[in-house]
Amino acid sequence: MNNKLFLTPKEIVSELDKYIIGQNDAKRNVAIALRNRWRRMNTPEDIQGEIVPNNILMIGATGVGKTEIARRLAKIADAPFTKVEASKFTEVGYVGRDVESMVRDLVEQSVNLVKASKKEEVKNKAADIVEDIILDALIPPMKSNSQRPISTTADNQVPDNDYELNQKTRERFREKLRNGELEDRKIDINVKTPANNGMGMIGGGMMDEASMINLQDMLSNMIPKKNKKRKVTIEEARKLLIEEEVSKLIDMDEVKEEAIQKAENTGMIFIDEIDKIAKGSSNSSGGDVSREGVQRDLLPIVEGSAVNTKYGIIHTDHILFLAAGAFHVSKPSDLIPELQGRFPIRVELDSLTKADFLRILKEPKNSLTKQYTALLKAEEVDLTFDDDALEELAEIAFRVNSEVENIGARRLQTVMSKLLNELLFDIPDKIGANAKVVITKQMVGEKLDGLVKDKDLSQYIL
């Protein structure tokens, strides 16, 4: 398993703290859940299968960090991760996605992760092969005359025969290739392109999504790929050929096997908007008929079942499920009891305060202030924010959330965009390179005064 999985719960929380402000209870619970996965993999084999993950239900308003916690957790663990909206699923027999598709999405993510890892392993070997292909296109190799001895000549001596001359020329060009001196020179290369037979697939009524995918893959594998000659620069040739050579060096059977194992043991599925399929949900126009059905379809996946994917069968028993919902209208107890029982850990996320907004602007590694500073740095403009300007921004975001609609931390994007739009438009036409721009409290007040006062207008600003 990846070394990142060896982080202790405290270290996991520290990593999450770099990107998410507050929500300590939620962070602690997901950190324990992640560490438990490593603990399970290090228990005796006879009990490994019996230890099931403690799935977590996160309850909180939009924009408080539910999705971000799940996404960052997956990155920390280098684990396959997929996010789905429960409201997109429909009960079997209705038009819409079936619940098994989220497991197939997870396996797809896992395959991509494993392939990326394998690509890194064979990258150097593939680069050497590509170098030889490009060299062959520049200076075709000459077969040596075995009947005649080849003399070794010093660099400053003239080669005895054509073969030696060819070899020395190739070596000189190889050196130039490695130094990047020939990147703009054009060469002819053969690139494999999939044969386009123009054949579409029309799914029959009884054919499920997995069968359709398998059938399409089978047909595409039966149709041979065509070789196409292209004249491209060496720089472009290198990019095209490296992908081809890397895929030749990777054993896809090994990738599939490892990906299934990775998805089963470290995979995470984040089910958002789970409150929308609870019985107490307000959007009842025809939805009640399938809402409980979706929950019943979700149940076997969360409990543990075998799902057929194009890479093989995956067992969902040890996938970690994180569900989230605002639960404004419905309550967690409105979910069917069996599904409630599969999410034993309940975590309530706090609504964001003015102090939280201020910390969100200043502390995270990817804070909005750092993002805008980096954007303007690309134009060679130096952007800085006064502390009292940031406090004013936090105050305005908090006030608009309180009076209009609480959209959590996303409100900061609204106020920052409105504050900086004019400035972003004026660069670089009016404000040129090497300029220094300081955002003050007075500037924040002038730009955002209308946003706070005009509540009717604010309702349309997301």
Side-chain angles (χ1 to χ4, degrees):
M1 288 183 109
N2 193 296
N3 285 337
K4 289 182 181 177
L5 286 178
F6 299 167
L7 291 176
T8 66
K10 192 175 179 181
E11 288 170 336
I12 294 164
V13 170
S14 292
E15 284 295 312
L16 292 172
D17 282 342
K18 292 176 185 176
Y19 300 95
I20 301 143
I21 297 300
Q23 314 303 0
N24 293 324
D25 194 24
K27 287 176 186 170
R28 283 170 67 91
N29 278 285
V30 296
I32 292 165
L34 182 57
R35 182 67 180 186
N36 278 349
R37 317 197 83 183
W38 175 80
R39 289 169 180 152
R40 184 182 79 83
M41 297 302 287
N42 287 277
T43 57
E45 279 189 28
D46 58 336
I47 201 168
Q48 265 188 33
E50 304 297 323
I51 302 171
V52 293
N54 282 339
N55 298 323
I56 298 168
L57 177 63
M58 292 191 271
I59 303 158
T62 184
V64 294
K66 302 187 296 291
T67 307
E68 192 66 12
I69 285 173
R71 204 186 300 280
R72 292 291 170 188
L73 189 73
K75 281 189 178 176
I76 289 167
D78 191 27
F81 173 82
T82 190
K83 175 183 180 272
V84 294
E85 278 84 33
S87 52
K88 294 281 173 73
F89 297 117
T90 56
E91 186 180 2
V92 173
Y94 291 84
V95 177
R97 294 192 79 192
D98 74 285
V99 292
E100 287 187 353
S101 63
M102 64 183 175
V103 182
R104 287 192 279 273
D105 291 345
L106 183 75
V107 175
E108 199 71 52
Q109 288 292 329
S110 188
V111 167
N112 291 338
L113 275 175
V114 175
K115 269 171 82 174
S117 168
K118 298 280 183 196
K119 276 180 181 180
E120 282 300 310
E121 290 173 21
V122 299
K123 195 168 68 175
N124 291 337
K125 192 176 179 183
D128 291 340
I129 295 168
V130 168
E131 188 181 81
D132 285 334
I133 294 169
I134 293 171
L135 200 60
D136 290 349
L138 284 166
I139 313 287
M142 186 183 285
K143 287 184 180 177
S144 65
N145 186 352
S146 55
Q147 307 210 342
R148 184 176 169 185
I150 299 165
S151 63
T152 54
T153 59
D155 286 343
N156 57 352
Q157 290 179 340
V158 179
D160 282 355
N161 55 51
D162 291 343
Y163 173 73
E164 283 186 14
L165 179 64
N166 177 263
Q167 287 297 99
K168 287 189 81 64
T169 308
R170 279 171 66 85
E171 287 311 309
R172 277 201 301 274
F173 270 79
R174 190 186 295 276
E175 205 172 309
K176 287 185 177 187
L177 274 177
R178 287 176 180 172
N179 293 337
E181 295 173 30
L182 306 171
E183 295 298 277
D184 295 329
R185 182 176 288 200
K186 290 205 168 184
I187 55 168
D188 289 321
I189 58 163
N190 287 317
V191 182
K192 282 188 178 173
T193 56
N196 182 14
N197 59 352
M199 184 170 63
M201 294 291 295
I202 301 171
M206 298 298 289
M207 191 175 282
D208 65 12
E209 193 179 339
S211 305
M212 283 288 293
I213 292 166
N214 289 335
L215 186 57
Q216 282 177 317
D217 278 0
M218 188 177 72
L219 286 171
S220 65
N221 289 334
M222 284 168 63
I223 301 161
K225 290 182 177 179
K226 293 177 181 176
N227 269 341
K228 185 181 177 185
K229 196 163 233 182
R230 287 183 62 184
K231 195 175 192 73
V232 293
T233 63
I234 285 175
E235 188 180 9
E236 289 170 331
R238 196 179 274 110
K239 287 175 190 170
L240 291 166
L241 292 168
I242 199 91
E243 283 299 315
E244 208 172 289
E245 293 306 318
V246 159
S247 53
K248 283 181 193 172
L249 291 169
I250 290 173
D251 181 355
M252 273 312 290
D253 290 331
E254 193 182 318
V255 168
K256 288 174 189 177
E257 194 179 319
E258 198 176 314
I260 291 282
Q261 194 179 3
K262 193 177 180 76
E264 283 182 342
N265 292 304
T266 69
M268 297 182 201
I269 295 179
F270 181 70
I271 307 171
D272 204 3
E273 297 181 351
I274 200 163
D275 54 320
K276 302 281 173 65
I277 58 166
K279 282 183 287 186
S281 185
S282 60
N283 47 341
S284 57
S285 53
D288 288 325
V289 73
S290 70
R291 193 172 292 130
E292 191 172 316
V294 175
Q295 292 184 57
R296 298 220 172 265
D297 289 345
L298 276 172
L299 192 59
I301 304 289
V302 181
E303 278 181 334
S305 58
V307 176
N308 187 25
T309 74
K310 68 178 183 179
Y311 301 106
I313 291 171
I314 175 172
H315 297 273
T316 65
D317 305 65
H318 297 104
I319 290 172
L320 178 65
F321 289 89
L322 303 163
F327 289 99
H328 288 316
V329 179
S330 57
K331 305 183 295 294
S333 55
D334 289 328
L335 294 167
I336 59 172
E338 299 94 324
L339 193 60
Q340 286 182 56
R342 290 294 159 183
F343 289 92
I345 310 295
R346 303 268 176 92
V347 182
E348 284 202 44
L349 283 86
D350 306 317
S351 291
L352 299 172
T353 63
K354 179 192 163 185
D356 289 331
F357 278 127
L358 183 58
R359 289 183 64 200
I360 289 166
L361 285 169
K362 292 169 98 171
E363 293 176 25
K365 283 180 81 171
N366 61 340
S367 70
L368 279 172
T369 50
K370 289 170 187 169
Q371 288 177 32
Y372 277 107
T373 302
L375 281 173
L376 294 193
K377 201 77 179 168
E379 302 269 15
E380 294 179 28
V381 173
D382 192 18
L383 176 69
T384 53
F385 294 83
D386 284 349
D387 284 345
D388 53 357
L390 293 178
E391 281 188 32
E392 186 70 8
L393 277 168
E395 168 66 35
I396 290 170
F398 179 71
R399 208 185 319 160
V400 176
N401 265 1
S402 305
E403 295 173 359
V404 184
E405 179 84 26
N406 189 357
I407 60 170
R410 294 188 183 97
R411 182 66 69 191
L412 288 171
Q413 290 177 311
T414 307
V415 294
M416 285 287 277
S417 174
K418 192 161 179 64
L419 171 68
L420 298 173
N421 260 2
E422 197 176 318
L423 177 68
L424 291 165
F425 187 81
D426 288 342
I427 295 172
D429 299 315
K430 287 186 183 177
I431 302 168
N434 302 317
K436 291 187 186 298
V437 179
V438 180
I439 304 297
T440 62
K441 183 178 179 179
Q442 185 186 349
M443 195 185 295
V444 173
E446 288 169 5
K447 299 280 185 191
L448 301 179
D449 191 44
L451 180 69
V452 180
K453 281 183 180 173
D454 195 343
K455 291 180 188 173
D456 291 333
L457 175 65
S458 297
Q459 287 179 12
Y460 300 100
I461 297 174
L462 294 174

